[in-house]
Amino acid sequence: NESPNKSNSKGVWIGIAGFLILFIIVVAVVVGVSGGDGSRNSNYLTYSNYTQIQNGMSYSQVVEILDGHAGVLDTSSSYGGYTLSYYTWSNSSGTKCIVVGFENGSVCAKSQYGLG
């Protein structure tokens, strides 16, 4: 059995690591590292679609919201039964993007750039 403090510290570690990774990915996209499916059609990258993405959704639900466009897996890591994965959807120029974090397959974080 794990003590409550040990279990809680894992959650804190996961949260800090996850948001640091998310921040790094967004910065990379902002400075011109392009992710996404590479298509010129980025009509699915809208603030309206972004707001529909909610915590607890699966990757397939997010893809459905984004008109069937698959994201690019930027990073994935596992620790103590937790898996964090971050996917990016962006236009070819990197001026619009959506980054979504998944904890054990469910949305746990999201960020956007240029959708305003």
Side-chain angles (χ1 to χ4, degrees):
N1 274 344
E2 293 183 359
S3 71
N5 289 341
K6 187 174 181 182
S7 178
N8 193 19
S9 66
K10 281 184 187 178
V12 169
W13 180 88
I14 295 293
I16 291 171
F19 284 104
L20 284 175
I21 291 168
L22 184 62
F23 176 77
I24 290 167
I25 292 167
V26 169
V27 168
V29 171
V30 168
V31 296
V33 176
S34 180
D37 64 8
S39 72
R40 296 204 179 270
N41 176 6
S42 60
N43 295 337
Y44 68 96
L45 292 172
T46 65
Y47 190 76
S48 175
N49 283 349
Y50 172 76
T51 60
Q52 292 178 52
I53 300 168
Q54 300 296 318
N55 284 350
M57 287 184 166
S58 68
Y59 173 81
S60 61
Q61 289 173 308
V62 172
V63 168
E64 185 177 324
I65 288 170
L66 300 176
D67 296 334
H69 292 271
V72 172
L73 177 61
D74 290 308
T75 187
S76 184
S77 62
S78 296
Y79 174 78
Y82 291 98
T83 299
L84 285 174
S85 302
Y86 286 87
Y87 288 83
T88 299
W89 288 262
S90 71
N91 63 355
S92 58
S93 64
T95 57
K96 293 181 179 183
C97 79
I98 295 174
V99 179
V100 181
F102 295 86
E103 179 180 351
N104 295 332
S106 297
V107 173
C108 65
K110 67 180 185 175
S111 181
Q112 61 88 19
Y113 177 80
L115 304 183

